[in-house]
Amino acid sequence: MNKTVNQKAWLFVLPVLVLVAFNAIIPLMTVVNYSVQETFGNNVFFWSGLRWFEDILRSERFHASLTRQAIFTGSILLIEVPLGVLIALAMPRKGIWVSVCLVLMAMPLLIPWNVVGAMWNIFALPNIGLLGKALNAMGFDYNYTRQVGDAWFTLILMDVWHWTSLVVLLAYAGLVSIPDAYYQAAKIDGASRWAIFRYIQLPKMKRVLTIAILLRFMDSFNIYTEPVVLTGGGPGNATTLLSIDLVKIALGQFDLGPAAAMSLIYFLIILLLSWIFYTVMTRNEEG
Amino acid sequence: MARITLENLRHSYSASPSGAEDWALKEINLEWQDGGAYALLGPSGCGKTTLLNIISGLLRPSAGRVLFDGEDVTPLPPEKRQIAQVFQFPVVYDTMSVFDNLAFPLRNRGVAEDAVQARVREIAEMTDLAAMLDQRAAGLTADGKQKISLGRGLVREDVNAILFDEPLTVIDPHLKFQLRSKLKELHHRVPKTMIYVTHDQTEALTFADQVVVMNMGEVVQTGTPEELFERPRHTFVGHFIGSPGMNVIPCTVEGGRALVEGTAFETANPLPPGTPEGVFEIGIRPEFLRLAESGVPATLNSVADAGRFRIADVTCLGHRLKLLVPEGREIPATDLRLAFDPAHTWLYRDGWLAGREETP
């Protein structure tokens, strides 16, 4: 078979190329450019090599943000994935309640992120917020603007509220695609509830759960708007996650070089972890 | 092992069935001997899968009882009935090896590990799976997976019956024959009651000693393949079994004799003299309709070659009929005469075989 040569085809790819160039390649290259230069203002730049990268990787401030970020992402994954699967298992498979549950589940996902932050900011206020006031009335000394533990509690609770639905919806989609015959066969084989979950439901949900974990990992590692509106990174730096810290360096202190270097390190961490996770999860799949 | 009795079984998927069409099963009474090979044959939607699921306990019937060896098991769930079922689409536990798949029903019931080992190897040998015990079940072909399903049924020694729900649907045609022979062979080695649901007459007639033909939620006839062929109790059985199906001609009855357009026909089940009520038809299989020197005149429409014989399509007394002509027998182009074999010409009243056999 001869390959047809048709150079005109490139024209059709052009719009996508332009789009990707403007929203990804050019901005990324700008960041690369900043990350290897030093400036003292007036648009004058000096070559500085890999100095910013070394600085960032050695900086205690970066280590602290990265640790907080890891704790945050780890916690929400550990809560949201099992919780999401449990809720999906408990949801009805037939009848009108299916739609009701799906709509309820989709609601938090539809709310703009800054609104979520603002809602929880007010909801958790110890003097007027429903949650804050209730907790205090129950005898807890709760104040998320002053106490580190309370701030983390509120932050994680907010994310769980906002994003568990995503895991639920994906897991539910995986569950309903399992043919009845599997459950019938398992019944006949005398499988326990746990065995049904372990050998039928979990394997059939593997693909969607891989996607869910990847999405939740990337999104939570990038999270900015909600914590900034909720706690602003405080009290002190207690909830300053990587993205919040990055914005402080880039726009607060206007240290473009270090901020650019940090962005790239940040980007590479997400890319690397996602790639490892995906490779491991899909390694044994042949059909 | 058990004798299976179905008593006055009825089932409806609707909560408050009103008309006849609401009943997936109308009134089933059947008795199956221990160790027999049975087939449930019928078109899609005739209720055969519903019946199978009631026997295995996946469905509770709306009315009636299921008895195993005379003991009522109607309220028991599937895992308490010691039943195995092979489904239309192969069900295997993807993440397990073939070995673990076969061992699953035993391990779930707490069988000791060395007994599991021995039994699984024995069954794997029977089902030709011995060479792939360590493979992952997900990697097998459709027929391999179906063998695993079958093996999971055979592995439990206390199984009362093995139910098959159109198990060859997703199997490649050239493997269907192999798997079917395998089933037959297994039934000889492991004489458990086997019930095989299918809409394919070849599968049913080759597998089973007794075939139950169902239509619209009713059992139309139960019998050996020969009985179904030679003496269909309902015109539906005549149509459904045989290729081509039975010829059915509307007729009237006068003085106990069947008349088609004024021509009298002798039937194997004559009615007593009188003018009984009902809609009458005579039925004769293409195999028992012959070209003859003298007989009922007919005109030839077409001839189709079917290998060892030819199928002639003729018009006789205003009705289209089919007959089988053996190889080498010449078919005259004009002045065709047909002979009806009286021993295989049956009279039907309202669809059912008339006379003694009338009540279903």
Side-chain angles (χ1 to χ4, degrees):
Chain A
M1 285 270 279
N2 284 328
K3 235 168 128 183
T4 319
V5 180
N6 185 353
Q7 304 293 356
K8 271 187 241 160
W10 289 105
L11 275 176
F12 294 103
V13 188
L14 202 62
V16 176
L17 275 179
V18 171
L19 201 71
V20 172
F22 273 94
N23 74 18
I25 300 170
I26 296 173
L28 187 66
M29 286 307 125
T30 316
V31 173
V32 172
N33 193 25
Y34 282 140
S35 73
V36 289
Q37 298 189 76
E38 163 85 286
T39 176
F40 300 107
N42 295 331
N43 246 353
V44 185
F45 287 90
F46 307 90
W47 174 256
S48 65
L50 292 177
R51 215 190 94 207
W52 297 132
F53 289 91
E54 285 170 28
D55 281 4
I56 288 292
L57 287 172
R58 291 211 179 97
S59 120
E60 270 178 34
R61 177 175 167 178
F62 177 72
H63 293 164
S65 307
L66 185 61
T67 309
R68 285 191 288 267
Q69 185 66 62
I71 293 172
F72 174 74
T73 296
S75 320
I76 66 108
L77 283 177
L78 280 178
I79 298 172
E80 288 175 13
V81 174
L83 183 65
V85 170
L86 274 179
I87 295 176
L89 286 172
M91 268 167 65
R93 302 285 153 76
K94 287 189 195 107
I96 48 161
W97 288 104
V98 172
S99 339
V100 174
C101 286
L102 288 178
V103 169
L104 276 178
M105 281 295 141
M107 293 261 258
L109 300 174
L110 300 174
I111 301 174
W113 299 359
N114 55 347
V115 177
V116 171
M119 269 167 56
W120 279 81
N121 185 310
I122 297 164
F123 182 50
L125 277 179
N127 46 358
I128 56 162
L130 184 62
L131 174 70
K133 223 174 147 106
L135 282 174
N136 277 296
M138 280 189 277
F140 296 102
D141 175 26
Y142 170 85
N143 187 336
Y144 77 94
T145 57
R146 298 246 177 79
Q147 288 147 22
V148 175
D150 296 350
W152 271 90
F153 170 75
T154 318
L155 185 64
I156 289 174
L157 190 64
M158 174 181 70
D159 199 80
V160 168
W161 176 82
H162 193 184
W163 289 110
T164 303
S165 309
L166 181 77
V167 183
V168 173
L169 293 178
L170 285 167
Y172 186 72
L175 280 176
V176 293
S177 69
I178 303 175
D180 269 351
Y182 278 85
Y183 294 111
Q184 297 178 335
K187 246 190 212 171
I188 287 167
D189 289 340
S192 62
R193 184 70 195 82
W194 165 251
I196 291 176
F197 176 71
R198 170 69 185 76
Y199 296 113
I200 296 176
Q201 293 173 321
L202 201 57
K204 294 279 172 196
M205 280 194 290
K206 191 180 146 195
R207 277 157 188 272
V208 283
L209 282 184
T210 305
I211 300 290
I213 293 171
L214 259 185
L215 285 176
R216 281 318 297 136
F217 165 71
M218 292 189 292
D219 279 354
S220 68
F221 224 80
N222 282 330
I223 195 169
Y224 176 75
T225 317
E226 298 145 278
V228 139
V229 177
L230 181 73
T231 63
N237 275 331
T239 56
T240 301
L241 302 174
L242 269 181
S243 62
I244 301 177
D245 204 20
L246 178 63
V247 172
K248 278 185 186 162
I249 297 174
L251 302 177
Q253 300 158 222
F254 228 73
D255 285 332
L256 290 187
M262 188 173 160
S263 303
L264 289 176
I265 293 168
Y266 192 176
F267 171 61
L268 289 176
I269 292 174
I270 296 182
L271 199 64
L272 184 71
L273 287 178
S274 299
W275 179 76
I276 292 174
F277 176 74
Y278 190 77
T279 312
V280 170
M281 287 308 284
T282 52
R283 193 185 40 191
N284 293 329
E285 263 174 48
E286 64 266 52
Chain B
M1 304 251 203
R3 171 169 48 92
I4 299 175
T5 315
L6 307 178
E7 258 181 30
N8 308 323
L9 218 54
R10 284 158 74 81
H11 189 75
S12 171
Y13 288 102
S14 114
S16 51
S18 47
E21 66 279 3
D22 284 347
W23 292 97
L25 291 180
K26 276 168 193 145
E27 171 97 29
I28 307 276
N29 284 293
L30 280 174
E31 169 123 2
W32 281 324
Q33 294 308 320
D34 182 22
Y38 296 95
L40 276 175
L41 177 65
S44 301
C46 72
K48 53 195 193 303
T49 297
T50 304
L51 186 57
L52 201 69
N53 287 342
I54 286 176
I55 298 170
S56 64
L58 293 168
L59 265 181
R60 276 289 290 274
S62 311
R65 300 198 302 163
V66 180
L67 308 163
F68 287 0
D69 277 337
E71 193 186 325
D72 189 358
V73 296
T74 323
L76 292 185
E79 63 271 20
K80 297 252 170 67
R81 290 191 185 191
Q82 313 301 6
I83 279 280
Q85 191 163 352
V86 178
F87 296 89
Q88 195 166 3
F89 296 98
V91 174
V92 297
Y93 304 106
D94 293 344
T95 51
M96 295 188 202
S97 66
V98 173
F99 184 95
D100 291 337
N101 258 281
L102 295 177
F104 193 59
L106 296 179
R107 287 179 177 156
N108 283 332
R109 286 171 174 80
V111 174
E113 195 55 33
D114 48 337
V116 170
Q117 292 278 341
R119 184 67 181 161
V120 167
R121 297 205 183 276
E122 187 189 342
I123 294 300
E125 200 61 51
M126 274 190 216
T127 47
D128 307 333
L129 289 169
M132 34 191 130
L133 278 177
D134 299 327
Q135 279 183 35
R136 251 179 60 155
L140 267 64
T141 52
D143 61 306
K145 288 181 179 177
Q146 210 54 312
K147 280 183 186 164
I148 295 181
S149 299
L150 174 62
R152 278 207 317 269
L154 294 170
V155 81
R156 283 154 49 203
E157 297 186 63
D158 57 351
V159 150
N160 282 321
I162 304 177
L163 314 181
F164 300 88
D165 189 359
E166 309 201 12
L168 302 183
T169 308
V170 294
I171 307 297
D172 285 346
H174 70 282
L175 290 174
K176 277 189 186 185
F177 176 75
Q178 263 182 35
L179 214 53
R180 218 162 52 207
S181 332
K182 190 81 215 168
L183 266 182
K184 261 290 223 223
E185 181 202 321
L186 285 173
H187 185 247
H188 287 301
R189 292 179 64 172
V190 188
K192 293 187 190 293
T193 313
M194 293 193 180
I195 302 171
Y196 190 107
V197 159
T198 178
H199 58 251
D200 184 316
Q201 50 166 312
T202 321
E203 281 178 28
L205 300 178
T206 51
F207 172 78
D209 311 328
Q210 285 272 319
V211 179
V212 177
V213 183
M214 290 184 68
N215 188 31
M216 320 236 302
E218 279 181 291
V219 172
V220 189
Q221 185 169 7
T222 306
T224 61
E226 292 74 35
E227 284 167 352
L228 297 181
F229 181 78
E230 303 225 329
R231 196 182 169 87
R233 266 181 55 186
H234 191 278
T235 50
F236 172 80
V237 180
H239 284 302
F240 198 72
I241 290 173
S243 175
M246 187 185 236
N247 296 302
V248 177
I249 315 162
C251 66
T252 53
V253 174
E254 262 172 50
R257 286 194 319 164
L259 292 173
V260 180
E261 313 290 334
T263 309
F265 285 89
E266 210 182 313
T267 57
N269 55 334
L271 284 182
T275 39
E277 308 233 321
V279 177
F280 287 93
E281 288 155 316
I282 57 170
I284 182 165
R285 289 199 176 273
E287 287 81 355
F288 303 117
L289 204 52
R290 284 191 327 276
L291 293 173
E293 297 298 311
S294 62
V296 194
T299 53
L300 186 67
N301 299 318
S302 62
V303 180
D305 202 325
R308 284 181 304 146
F309 52 83
R310 283 159 297 164
I311 302 167
D313 181 333
V314 301
T315 303
C316 174
L317 301 171
H319 298 283
R320 295 288 283 261
L321 305 178
K322 289 202 161 70
L323 67 145
L324 297 193
V325 184
E327 224 173 8
R329 176 86 159 83
E330 212 169 303
I331 305 174
T334 55
D335 193 29
L336 237 58
R337 297 281 169 165
L338 300 183
F340 288 64
D341 182 352
H344 289 103
T345 307
W346 301 100
L347 180 64
Y348 292 92
R349 168 155 58 184
D350 299 329
W352 296 94
L353 201 62
R356 269 188 311 123
E357 302 273 333
E358 197 162 2
T359 37

